[in-house]
Amino acid sequence: MTQPPVTAALRGRKAEQSDRTRATLIAVARGLFAERGYADTATEEIVHAAGVTRGALYHHFKDKRDLFEAVYRDLQDDLRERIRAAARVEAERWERVRAGFHEYLDHSMDPTVQRIVLIDGPSVLGWEHWREIDNEYSLGLLRSAMERLQGDGDIAAGTSIEYLSHLLLGVISEASHTIAFAHDIAAARAEVGALVDRILDGLRER
């Protein structure tokens, strides 16, 4: 018997359902990874909580590590949008950049970020790949911001934006780790934030 042709509408509905399943798996996995950590979260728990089959999980992700990377990237997407939203509040470009730095530091106080990004991220993804992803999301934002500030005359002409961006990425990465692992996170956030402000102010051409 000849099968009826698959219409564009049907293909569209299937694609939407597939996207919803993937999004559900990422959302559920994010919650479980944040609560229990990667090592203590079984794939069986994820599919049960998501209400899908193991086949659906492996249709979208090669394995649990691949799902973890999707969760990690989802968190990075959230952070990038939060940084952009925080920056838009300020009128002056320099203060927009400063606001972005502080939003990044605020993000490190989130227990979900602490567990997935700062604790499990390097060990699950491997140091090199973890750094590649971090560079992919953060370095481009920093480079663009520093280029604009140099164009405004706030960063000295002749300064290597590439080197400066890498150094600032190191500063903000270490700052976020320092806050996340501090005994008193709120106190560390305040002190580290003040030091980051001093570093940024030291870069500005007067």
Side-chain angles (χ1 to χ4, degrees):
M1 181 182 294
T2 303
Q3 295 294 322
V6 178
T7 66
L10 180 57
R11 284 195 298 268
R13 286 196 297 273
K14 287 184 175 181
E16 288 176 6
Q17 183 178 12
S18 178
D19 289 344
R20 284 196 300 271
T21 299
R22 188 178 191 279
T24 298
L25 283 165
I26 290 173
V28 168
R30 181 198 281 208
L32 290 172
F33 288 150
E35 179 184 353
R36 303 181 186 179
Y38 176 83
D40 292 330
T41 301
T43 54
E44 290 81 0
E45 294 176 286
I46 295 171
V47 297
H48 177 73
V52 301
T53 64
R54 287 179 63 84
L57 171 64
Y58 292 116
H59 172 74
H60 291 281
F61 306 101
K62 292 183 297 184
D63 49 29
K64 189 171 77 165
R65 182 186 177 279
D66 192 36
L67 174 58
F68 179 87
E69 180 171 336
V71 170
Y72 184 93
R73 288 181 177 276
D74 192 53
L75 278 169
Q76 291 286 9
D77 286 334
D78 286 350
L79 174 57
R80 184 161 54 186
E81 290 309 309
R82 285 174 52 176
I83 287 174
R84 287 171 173 164
R88 284 194 292 267
V89 173
E90 301 293 338
E92 186 187 11
R93 194 190 307 278
W94 183 270
E95 293 306 319
R96 290 201 294 271
V97 172
R98 188 195 303 276
F101 271 80
H102 280 281
E103 185 62 35
Y104 194 105
L105 296 182
D106 286 342
H107 200 60
S108 65
M109 300 177 72
D110 183 341
T112 297
V113 172
Q114 291 171 4
R115 183 76 213 192
I116 294 174
V117 176
L118 302 177
I119 297 175
D120 283 344
S123 60
V124 175
L125 298 172
W127 174 259
E128 290 187 2
H129 190 47
W130 176 75
R131 182 180 170 89
E132 286 174 4
I133 296 173
D134 202 37
N135 287 351
E136 177 186 336
Y137 280 89
S138 303
L139 189 60
L141 280 177
L142 276 171
R143 187 186 293 115
S144 177
M146 292 304 111
E147 286 173 348
R148 289 188 175 95
L149 290 178
Q150 191 174 57
D152 291 344
D154 285 320
I155 299 293
T159 299
S160 170
I161 295 302
E162 188 65 20
Y163 289 161
L164 177 59
S165 299
H166 277 280
L167 289 172
L168 288 175
L169 180 60
V171 167
I172 202 67
S173 177
E174 285 302 313
S176 63
H177 279 81
T178 299
I179 293 168
F181 294 110
H183 177 68
D184 186 336
I185 291 177
R189 168 66 183 89
E191 189 166 352
V192 169
L195 290 170
V196 167
D197 276 338
R198 291 177 64 182
I199 291 171
L200 291 176
D201 290 340
L203 290 170
R204 192 173 193 181
E205 287 287 282
R206 298 295 181 181

